[in-house]
Amino acid sequence: MKQSGNHFMQRSLIGLYLGVGFIAGLQVFHLWSGCNSHNSNQIATPQSQEQNNIVSLAEPANDNSKDLPSNQLLQEYIQAEIAHQFALQTEEIKHLISQLETRPALIPGQTFEENEADARQQETYILSVNTLDASIAAEYFDEATATEVMSGFNSLSDDQKHQLITIYSDAINAGKIYFEKPLIEFIN
Amino acid sequence: MKLTSIAMKLFTSAVICAASLSAHAGYKQTGNVEVSSTTIKGSFGSARNSSDSKQILSISDYGNFVLIFAKNSAGSIKTCTTSDQTKKEQLRGATSDSYLIIGLSGSTCSSVYVDNSSKHEAKR
């Protein structure tokens, strides 16, 4: 059941990538074709005017001496716009992926309530692991951290409990964190 | 001659007393907590009764797995878990007077020995 959930998540991710890639491609194509359909000077000139307020719109469009800088400006504009769009899309993809990763995949054959319970359990587990990981990264573990890590322990599955304690034990044995009390004392 | 005889009697009495005391006390073995990257050793009684107030030896039963936690007199800590059925049963058979020898492989208890014997120090 868990495996089909993982396949579902993988399919979702692949679909997401394809969708976002397609939209990004369309945007780039649209931008490119839109820019090419105009005379480069018509686009570049207002920008130049914006920059220095000297060049007039009434200035002749076929001034050959302006062609080279105008083309450069156009290229820079397109490159900047593409980079901007890609940055936006990348952020969006990262955001969507993080949502998918924190949200467990729905398991076919389970009721909505069962899926919701699994989702809550998974979220509790992720919160505990994140707290523990942050503590290990900071190489500091105290009673407040232990309480936080173990706060949702009772609601975890047996495997999740074992995984969580194993992460803790690995860190203790490796000397990354030091804590003198057995964690079981912090189950509430 | 008389003095020698008295001395002999006193010596014999002392030996008998010492022997009887020894027989009454029984053989004892201290099991202070020892930890290394590959082993945890120690008895619950010795850890509890130790004067350093640092030693800890514990078995925590989580149901599907059992965790062993040990701290020696220097404050070094090692811990391991096992979900192996046989090892869990061994550890569940430990008493507060048991002596443990646990092999470590990372944070997994790779081997488990539980010795229940009168020689190990009882918790006071």
Side-chain angles (χ1 to χ4, degrees):
Chain A
M1 291 292 261
K2 292 274 179 195
Q3 216 168 12
S4 65
N6 287 337
H7 288 159
F8 177 76
M9 180 175 268
Q10 282 172 352
R11 282 200 299 272
S12 301
L13 275 172
I14 291 165
L16 181 68
Y17 275 121
L18 287 174
V20 171
F22 179 71
I23 291 164
L26 271 181
Q27 284 184 341
V28 170
F29 176 74
H30 174 71
L31 188 66
W32 183 262
S33 60
C35 289
N36 278 344
S37 67
H38 298 291
N39 185 308
S40 58
N41 279 335
Q42 285 173 336
I43 296 170
T45 304
Q47 195 175 13
S48 303
Q49 186 184 27
E50 220 171 71
Q51 283 174 352
N52 52 26
N53 283 327
I54 293 171
V55 182
S56 162
L57 276 171
E59 208 170 350
N62 59 350
D63 186 352
N64 288 337
S65 65
K66 302 268 186 196
D67 279 353
L68 189 60
S70 297
N71 281 334
Q72 280 176 349
L73 279 171
L74 178 64
Q75 278 181 356
E76 283 170 13
Y77 169 77
I78 290 169
Q79 281 170 356
E81 188 61 27
I82 288 170
H84 177 64
Q85 288 298 328
F86 271 115
L88 283 178
Q89 296 295 340
T90 306
E91 281 307 309
E92 183 68 12
I93 289 168
K94 279 181 185 171
H95 177 65
L96 290 171
I97 287 172
S98 70
Q99 279 185 335
L100 273 175
E101 283 174 345
T102 53
R103 186 88 182 163
L106 294 179
I107 299 169
Q110 283 196 349
T111 64
F112 175 76
E113 287 76 17
E114 285 171 335
N115 271 322
E116 281 297 299
D118 278 352
R120 278 196 299 275
Q121 191 179 57
Q122 184 68 11
E123 279 167 15
T124 306
Y125 172 70
I126 288 167
L127 278 175
S128 295
V129 169
N130 285 348
T131 306
L132 183 54
D133 281 344
S135 169
I136 292 166
E139 298 187 352
Y140 183 76
F141 193 95
D142 59 6
E143 291 198 10
T145 318
T147 305
E148 200 176 335
V149 167
M150 300 301 275
S151 60
F153 195 77
N154 282 327
S155 61
L156 301 181
S157 70
D158 284 351
D159 281 347
Q160 288 170 334
K161 286 175 183 172
H162 196 184
Q163 283 169 12
L164 185 67
I165 297 296
T166 300
I167 295 170
Y168 167 78
S169 299
D170 283 341
I172 286 276
N173 287 345
K176 289 179 183 169
I177 52 173
Y178 184 84
F179 191 56
E180 298 194 335
K181 294 184 176 178
L183 266 194
I184 202 165
E185 293 176 18
F186 294 87
I187 296 175
N188 48 30
Chain B
M1 187 68 181
K2 200 172 181 180
L3 274 174
T4 313
S5 171
I6 291 168
M8 279 297 289
K9 280 178 184 170
L10 281 173
F11 177 74
T12 309
S13 303
V15 168
I16 289 167
C17 278
S20 66
L21 272 175
S22 171
H24 175 72
Y27 175 64
K28 292 189 184 71
Q29 185 175 312
T30 304
N32 286 324
V33 178
E34 297 171 39
V35 299
S36 74
S37 58
T38 55
T39 322
I40 291 172
K41 286 181 188 175
S43 73
F44 293 99
S46 296
R48 170 77 180 190
N49 302 334
S50 62
S51 57
D52 54 48
S53 74
K54 287 208 167 182
Q55 293 183 42
I56 300 174
L57 189 61
S58 71
I59 295 173
S60 304
D61 191 344
Y62 287 82
N64 62 318
F65 68 97
V66 174
L67 178 137
I68 295 165
F69 180 92
K71 183 172 71 159
N72 67 9
S73 57
S76 294
I77 295 173
K78 290 292 172 190
T79 180
C80 69
T81 63
T82 181
S83 52
D84 178 80
Q85 192 58 34
T86 305
K87 293 184 179 78
K88 284 195 292 185
E89 284 169 14
Q90 284 176 276
L91 292 165
R92 284 168 184 160
T95 70
S96 58
D97 300 337
S98 296
Y99 181 84
L100 302 182
I101 304 173
I102 311 295
L104 297 184
S105 176
S107 59
T108 301
C109 308
S110 53
S111 61
V112 170
Y113 300 97
V114 179
D115 188 20
N116 294 315
S117 167
S118 61
K119 69 184 177 186
H120 300 305
E121 195 172 350
K123 281 196 337 183
R124 290 195 296 269

